[in-house]
Amino acid sequence: MARLNVNPTRMELRRLKDRLKTAERGHKLLKDKSDEMIRQFLVLVKENKKLREEIEGEIADALKSFSLASGEPLNVAQAIALPTLTAQITVGTKNVMGVDVPYMQTKRVGNIELPYALGAAPAELDDAILKLTSLADKLLHLAEVEKTCNMLSDEIEKNRRRVNALEYVMIPQLQETIKFIVMKLDENERASIVRLMKIKT
């Protein structure tokens, strides 16, 4: 490992020892942060998988009901042209291990879920609309969890690069340089002792 280009003095040795101590402490902290981020990432990935499977099944059911309703002579587009429910979405951020991830909260405005008279449309359309309405909150939560997973994975990758740079480049470089300075100072000390002994004789 290449050492740093520094003057082999006691002051430089002390400065490098302080830097090494700081680098080792930083490495430990980053390693701990990385471990905790990976743990939280795995929890979120499991939640994401569970949510996705659940939502995909419910969407398939809703679309099946919707396609059955489309076979009726009623014009489905006309029946659902005027929505009776609207959703207000509050978007913000929350901090997960130093990463600002999205946070969404929904609030429904309106109380009638079906935008048409019950006798005016087939029961399959009622079923499809009710299923899709209940899915809206889950879809937003899934989007939030997926984005959080993406952002955490990017941050884990950056953190891993920092940990590796400290572990395999900076810390060995500092150790090598400290070893070189100690050897040089010992050599200078031995040379001065030999010089003193020669002068004495």
Side-chain angles (χ1 to χ4, degrees):
M1 175 60 70
R3 60 182 168 78
L4 299 170
N5 190 16
V6 291
N7 292 326
T9 61
R10 292 197 183 281
M11 218 166 134
E12 194 65 47
L13 178 65
R14 204 179 89 210
R15 194 177 68 81
L16 285 173
K17 279 184 176 176
D18 287 347
R19 270 182 72 187
L20 177 63
K21 200 173 176 183
T22 307
E24 284 172 342
R25 188 161 180 265
H27 175 263
K28 185 188 179 307
L29 288 171
L30 281 172
K31 192 96 168 143
D32 291 347
K33 180 183 176 182
S34 185
D35 292 345
E36 180 58 24
M37 281 170 79
I38 289 169
R39 190 192 67 74
Q40 288 195 8
F41 176 73
L42 291 174
V43 168
L44 283 166
V45 164
K46 282 179 187 169
E47 185 185 351
N48 184 26
K49 185 176 185 281
K50 185 180 141 209
L51 263 173
R52 183 170 277 282
E53 286 170 355
E54 193 178 302
I55 286 171
E56 282 175 355
E58 288 180 32
I59 284 179
D61 288 348
L63 290 177
K64 188 176 168 188
S65 299
F66 200 75
S67 63
L68 286 171
S70 298
E72 296 288 323
L74 166 85
N75 188 350
V76 174
Q78 267 184 339
I80 58 173
L82 296 170
T84 55
L85 276 176
T86 56
Q88 291 178 344
I89 302 169
T90 310
V91 180
T93 57
K94 63 181 178 182
N95 197 312
V96 177
M97 295 300 295
V99 184
D100 288 333
V101 297
Y103 167 73
M104 289 185 273
Q105 195 170 20
T106 57
K107 181 183 171 191
R108 291 206 182 140
V109 180
N111 55 4
I112 303 166
E113 292 190 344
L114 298 173
Y116 51 82
L118 287 176
E124 288 85 4
L125 186 59
D126 301 349
D127 193 33
I129 288 176
L130 291 172
K131 281 178 183 173
L132 289 171
T133 305
S134 67
L135 270 176
D137 293 339
K138 284 184 183 177
L139 282 168
L140 283 171
H141 184 58
L142 177 65
E144 181 185 324
V145 170
E146 277 197 3
K147 186 63 179 171
T148 303
C149 285
N150 290 340
M151 292 174 83
L152 271 178
S153 69
D154 290 344
E155 192 61 30
I156 288 168
E157 190 58 41
K158 283 182 202 168
N159 207 46
R160 184 171 285 148
R161 279 199 291 270
R162 287 186 197 118
V163 168
N164 287 343
L166 280 169
E167 191 173 339
Y168 298 111
V169 179
M170 192 174 179
I171 291 174
Q173 243 181 9
L174 288 169
Q175 288 171 338
E176 189 72 30
T177 309
I178 287 168
K179 188 177 166 189
F180 164 73
I181 291 175
V182 167
M183 282 171 55
K184 201 75 168 163
L185 289 172
D186 287 350
E187 190 182 307
N188 289 347
E189 202 174 310
R190 280 192 301 276
S192 65
I193 288 170
V194 167
R195 209 172 22 253
L196 282 170
M197 286 171 73
K198 288 212 174 197
I199 290 169
K200 209 172 184 182
T201 53

